[in-house]
Amino acid sequence: MRRSANRTVKMSISVPSNIFNELERTLSYTQSRSKFISSAIDEKLNGSEGFSVEESTTKQLMAALMNRNDVDPTLKALLLHILSK
């Protein structure tokens, strides 16, 4: 029998319901919640700046644009209007 060099360990955590709900909305039916959380922990522990564009939701990308200095004020107003919904 072959053993994994980096075996998985089952763990139980508690998160606020709003974070859980956001995670459920973010992941597709075929994506692994465990894999997503493992990647997030790994990125945080290794000092990663955050998620890649491919992993980000449209709302997250819009919020990131709001915080940039090179975004036109008209676009910022539009983004703010959409994000406030």
Side-chain angles (χ1 to χ4, degrees):
M1 181 183 288
R2 184 174 231 189
R3 294 183 188 231
S4 173
N6 192 10
R7 69 181 184 89
T8 60
V9 177
K10 186 175 182 177
M11 64 184 268
S12 175
I13 62 169
S14 298
V15 296
S17 60
N18 64 324
I19 293 174
F20 177 80
N21 292 335
E22 181 70 23
L23 177 62
E24 292 299 293
R25 283 191 300 274
T26 300
L27 296 178
S28 72
Y29 181 74
T30 60
Q31 289 177 298
S32 165
R33 188 185 306 136
S34 292
K35 186 174 180 182
F36 182 90
I37 293 170
S38 293
S39 293
I41 292 170
D42 187 52
E43 288 176 12
K44 183 71 174 178
L45 291 175
N46 290 312
S48 176
E49 289 294 318
F51 297 104
S52 70
V53 171
E54 295 84 18
E55 295 171 326
S56 300
T57 65
T58 300
K59 197 167 189 170
Q60 289 171 328
L61 293 170
M62 291 168 64
L65 282 172
M66 281 292 299
N67 294 313
R68 292 185 56 96
N69 294 328
D70 61 343
V71 175
D72 180 85
T74 305
L75 179 56
K76 281 192 176 189
L78 244 172
L79 289 169
L80 185 59
H81 175 72
I82 295 168
L83 287 169
S84 64
K85 290 183 179 181

